[in-house]
Amino acid sequence: MSTGSLNRGQNGTFAEPPPQNLSLGVIGNCAFSALIDERGQVVWCCLPRFDGDPVFHSLLGGEDGNGSFAIDIEDLERAHQYYEPNTAVLRTELWDTRGQGLLITDFAPRFQSRGRFFRPMMMVRRVRALQGTPRIRIRLRPRFHWGSVAPLITSGSNHIRFVGDQLTLRLQTDAPLSHVQSGQPFLLTRELNFLLGPDETLEGGISDTARNFEQETIGYWRSWSQRLALPLEWQEAVIRAAITLKLSTFEDTGAIVAAMTTSIPEAPDTQRNWDYRYCWLRDAFFVVRALNSLAEVGTMEDYLSWLTNAVEGSNGGHVQPLFGIGLERDLPERICENLPGYRGMGPVRIGNQAFEHFQHDVYGNIVLGAAQAFHDKRLLHPAGLPEFKRLEVAGERAVQVFDQPDAGMWELRTRARVHTSSALMCWAACDRLAKIAAGLQQTERAAYWQQHARAMRERILREAWSEERKAFAESFGGRDLDASVLLMAEVGFIDPMDPRFVATLDALEKNLCDGPYMRRYEAADDFGKPETAFNICTFWRIDALARVGRVEEARAIFETMLRARNGLGLLSEDTHASTGEMWGNFPQTYSMVGIINAAVRLSAPWDTVI
């Protein structure tokens, strides 16, 4: 998909980047990732992993082009960006005012080698002329310690080293090193390759290695995509969403990051800037379930290993809602003073205070995230009685906290209530444990968990209902509306045709929707009232509409959400209903999950065409 044309540069100049609207592509290999703008500039890349130091940070600002890796064309007139179909290999075409063009191919190597996945901390950039001999300029300016430290630079015959106190990067290239180091423009007369990664020598030649890595990586992603069980309609959107979710996994531990960035505001100039480069149990459950719906169960197996370790460390007590991708428990939040922020809208936050929160829906997310492993016969390591007994610990905690105040799934920092969504997920924990126990022929335990689920359900139906609003409210005894109650139908708590659920959907549409888009809640929070629509809430609305029989409305809103994506098919966390701009961290796994869920639910069946 094209990202469209860009503003024309002045004759004989290298144009500056246009204002950002998250027109970015993502590359990665399940170890790290990088974001690349529509002109082929790497603007964000944390190393050695998702939550590391952003050696390329220009997405959040900086001085004199520092913190970026650009391959510029002189007299830029237009650009065109797209993915190699069914892969995570990104292509960027740049064309000048004289009709000369070049192609940049970007990817992070990932493929099977010697019986395991080869996924080095390496970015490969390949450049070749498409027409004529365009004049180009290389600007490679990594920075360390969140942009505050310039590396020591050394070079050899075919490489440049960027030396920091904790990380050294090596660029291995067949481009003229003098031109790369000086930023001197030169003519592109032959194919050039840039391999930026660890301070190690290559086993083979630069061009041969780059070419082989590209072929193997394309082969891996095409094979992975080919195994997906796709709906009939919207297949390209689903494949792109699935690949993006896969890129959000940290394969070393099985963790899944909520997004790859920090501090992109949820709305302009609001200071709603958060660091999402960690693993939320809530978000990870939704990712696992979406990929499971496409028959991609490998991610679930890896995640369950991570989840088991996270829960075991709680010793049967409180489980925090998020962890570092290496199971780090302390994620203290601080402000990065030397970066101005996305479009100058700071602060830039590192860490996330939510690790200290009590968010009781986490226990439902734990059980729901693991439930399929007890029923799916395809798994290499299906779950059994020992795993069930571990999950029961989370279930007992759900029983204890079901009706206790918490920060809720929206992570309110200064207000605690008995949130309906938290109570709902505690019910889900008990309900699924009952089903798992029945499948394991544990009759007594099934009856035990059914009893708890039944009691919880009765209280939720009674105490979350607001007779004044004729809707389920966001908290027990409350009146404020919250889109998260739509999950009642999605997790099987209530028949979607129940008049109470139908009335709730109507009330939410009247009070939280801006046209097709849906905000999270109506009450003011720590920063006032939300301004932008939260994409996953719009997708919950789509799901609810389909369940109550309003399928054509659901399809129309889904098509609107597909148009809201950037030119590469990616979504951030939020959409501004008036401007259509994307806001919030990017790419947001919640939003990409919504694309998959909506397509699977709304697509015509395959038997209509075969």
Side-chain angles (χ1 to χ4, degrees):
M1 301 176 69
S2 172
T3 59
S5 298
L6 301 170
N7 295 330
R8 179 179 300 185
Q10 297 298 314
N11 187 41
T13 65
F14 291 89
E16 291 301 315
Q20 301 264 2
N21 184 25
L22 299 179
S23 297
L24 308 170
V26 59
I27 62 170
N29 61 4
C30 304
F32 81 100
S33 64
L35 300 181
I36 300 169
D37 73 10
E38 53 196 331
R39 297 186 178 188
Q41 180 176 208
V42 181
V43 297
W44 184 257
C45 179
C46 296
L47 296 175
R49 61 186 205 179
F50 294 111
D51 58 354
D53 185 19
V55 296
F56 298 121
H57 58 71
S58 60
L59 181 67
L60 299 185
E63 297 180 356
D64 302 323
N66 292 330
S68 65
F69 184 0
I71 300 173
D72 301 320
I73 187 172
E74 189 176 52
D75 298 333
L76 172 68
E77 182 175 60
R78 57 188 173 90
H80 176 56
Q81 197 170 47
Y82 53 94
Y83 279 106
E84 183 68 22
N86 300 350
T87 78
V89 176
L90 185 65
R91 315 280 196 192
T92 306
E93 295 181 13
L94 302 178
W95 295 86
D96 66 19
T97 55
R98 293 177 293 280
Q100 301 181 120
L102 61 83
L103 175 68
I104 305 170
T105 295
D106 287 303
F107 64 95
R110 176 177 173 81
F111 49 87
Q112 284 275 355
S113 177
R114 300 174 183 174
R116 58 188 177 184
F117 280 117
F118 177 67
R119 40 177 169 77
M121 186 192 71
M122 177 184 291
M123 177 190 314
V124 178
R125 314 201 73 190
R126 310 190 69 206
V127 189
R128 65 179 178 87
L130 294 173
Q131 184 72 35
T133 54
R135 199 164 182 246
I136 68 171
R137 177 182 64 179
I138 309 299
R139 292 182 292 127
L140 176 53
R141 299 175 183 175
R143 289 294 182 268
F144 297 126
H145 295 285
W146 289 82
S148 63
V149 176
L152 173 68
I153 299 176
T154 68
S155 62
S157 57
N158 294 104
H159 73 264
I160 303 171
R161 297 169 70 244
F162 301 90
V163 182
D165 60 354
Q166 297 180 356
L167 179 68
T168 296
L169 297 175
R170 180 189 290 236
L171 175 72
Q172 302 183 82
T173 182
D174 47 14
L177 291 189
S178 297
H179 296 341
V180 175
Q181 289 180 292
S182 67
Q184 171 67 34
F186 62 98
L187 294 175
L188 180 62
T189 57
R190 57 183 173 84
E191 181 179 83
L192 301 176
N193 299 278
F194 303 85
L195 291 79
L196 181 67
D199 190 21
E200 303 168 358
T201 58
L202 297 175
E203 293 183 2
I206 291 172
S207 61
D208 290 341
T209 299
R211 186 179 306 108
N212 177 62
F213 282 4
E214 179 183 348
Q215 292 171 350
E216 292 286 349
T217 300
I218 288 175
Y220 163 78
W221 285 111
R222 285 181 174 166
S223 177
W224 185 87
S225 299
Q226 187 179 41
R227 295 193 297 269
L228 297 175
L230 297 174
L232 174 62
E233 298 179 86
W234 305 295
Q235 290 186 32
E236 291 184 1
V238 171
I239 291 171
R240 183 53 47 205
I243 289 174
T244 305
L245 294 182
K246 184 66 175 177
L247 291 176
S248 301
T249 64
F250 185 60
E251 195 167 54
D252 184 56
T253 64
I256 304 170
V257 295
M260 296 174 185
T261 58
T262 178
S263 302
I264 300 179
E266 294 176 7
D269 296 308
T270 58
Q271 297 199 14
R272 296 175 183 265
N273 303 8
W274 317 113
D275 191 348
Y276 278 9
R277 301 170 302 146
Y278 309 112
C279 186
W280 271 258
L281 275 64
R282 179 187 311 111
D283 301 53
F285 152 64
F286 282 104
V287 170
V288 165
R289 191 177 65 163
L291 290 177
N292 286 349
S293 73
L294 303 179
E296 202 292 288
V297 297
T299 299
M300 175 175 65
E301 291 197 272
D302 291 342
Y303 171 67
L304 288 181
S305 175
W306 181 92
L307 179 63
T308 300
N309 284 309
V311 175
E312 286 288 306
S314 69
N315 297 316
H318 162 68
V319 178
Q320 63 193 64
L322 70 151
F323 294 80
I325 58 177
L327 283 175
E328 295 84 2
R329 295 177 180 272
D330 294 324
L331 305 170
E333 188 173 300
R334 60 187 176 90
I335 302 297
C336 173
E337 301 290 352
N338 56 290
L339 291 178
Y342 176 75
R343 292 163 65 168
M345 300 177 190
V348 171
R349 289 190 169 94
I350 305 167
N352 198 304
Q353 184 219 333
F355 83 93
E356 300 175 344
H357 287 184
F358 286 80
Q359 298 176 23
H360 300 327
D361 66 317
V362 68
Y363 305 104
N365 294 317
I366 290 169
V367 177
L368 287 168
Q372 182 167 330
F374 291 88
H375 307 286
D376 197 324
K377 303 303 182 184
R378 296 170 296 172
L379 302 186
L380 296 176
H381 306 288
L385 191 57
E387 290 78 14
F388 170 67
K389 291 185 179 298
R390 291 195 188 100
L391 278 186
E392 283 196 299
V393 176
E396 293 292 357
R397 185 68 177 170
V399 172
Q400 295 170 16
V401 302
F402 155 76
D403 58 357
Q404 298 301 304
D406 72 344
M409 70 181 303
W410 305 127
E411 303 183 335
L412 302 175
R413 297 191 169 203
T414 60
R415 184 179 71 209
R417 294 177 179 173
V418 181
H419 288 95
T420 302
S421 58
S422 296
L424 171 68
M425 296 306 280
C426 287
W427 167 86
C430 297
D431 177 76
R432 298 316 193 266
L433 283 169
K435 290 180 171 66
I436 293 169
L440 295 172
Q441 285 79 52
Q442 300 293 306
T443 306
E444 291 185 5
R445 299 311 295 167
Y448 174 83
W449 290 113
Q450 285 170 352
Q451 177 185 358
H452 279 301
R454 189 179 306 114
M456 288 180 179
R457 184 174 186 274
E458 290 174 357
R459 284 196 61 190
I460 293 171
L461 290 174
R462 181 175 66 252
E463 298 190 37
W465 177 257
S466 169
E467 187 62 30
E468 174 193 354
R469 304 298 297 273
K470 294 292 187 293
F472 289 109
E474 55 95 33
S475 59
F476 281 16
R479 68 176 305 280
D480 295 327
L481 300 181
D482 188 311
S484 63
V485 301
L486 292 176
L487 290 172
M488 285 181 166
E490 190 165 335
V491 300
F493 175 84
I494 194 171
D495 185 331
M497 298 310 295
D498 186 301
R500 291 167 294 185
F501 184 79
V502 174
T504 297
L505 174 58
D506 290 341
L508 293 173
E509 289 188 300
K510 291 175 183 175
N511 291 278
L512 293 184
C513 287
D514 300 308
Y517 305 110
M518 178 170 275
R519 285 169 276 116
R520 286 179 287 178
Y521 42 79
E522 63 180 1
D525 59 22
D526 312 322
F527 295 84
K529 289 192 174 184
E531 299 177 27
T532 51
F534 204 72
N535 290 329
I536 191 60
C537 297
T538 303
F539 286 115
W540 290 342
R541 178 192 182 191
I542 290 169
D543 180 83
L545 288 171
R547 289 177 187 271
V548 302
R550 296 163 58 187
V551 176
E552 291 307 312
E553 290 177 71
R555 289 176 65 95
I557 295 172
F558 183 40
E559 291 289 355
T560 298
M561 291 305 298
L562 293 178
R563 291 191 294 272
R565 299 174 300 161
N566 72 11
L568 293 168
L570 306 180
L571 277 172
S572 65
E573 183 181 46
D574 307 88
T575 300
H576 197 291
S578 299
T579 68
E581 286 184 298
M582 288 194 286
W583 291 92
N585 283 308
F586 178 91
Q588 178 76 7
T589 53
Y590 249 163
S591 301
M592 306 310 290
V593 161
I595 293 172
I596 293 174
N597 290 346
V600 169
R601 175 158 296 282
L602 296 173
S603 174
W606 277 94
D607 61 14
T608 60
V609 296
I610 58 176

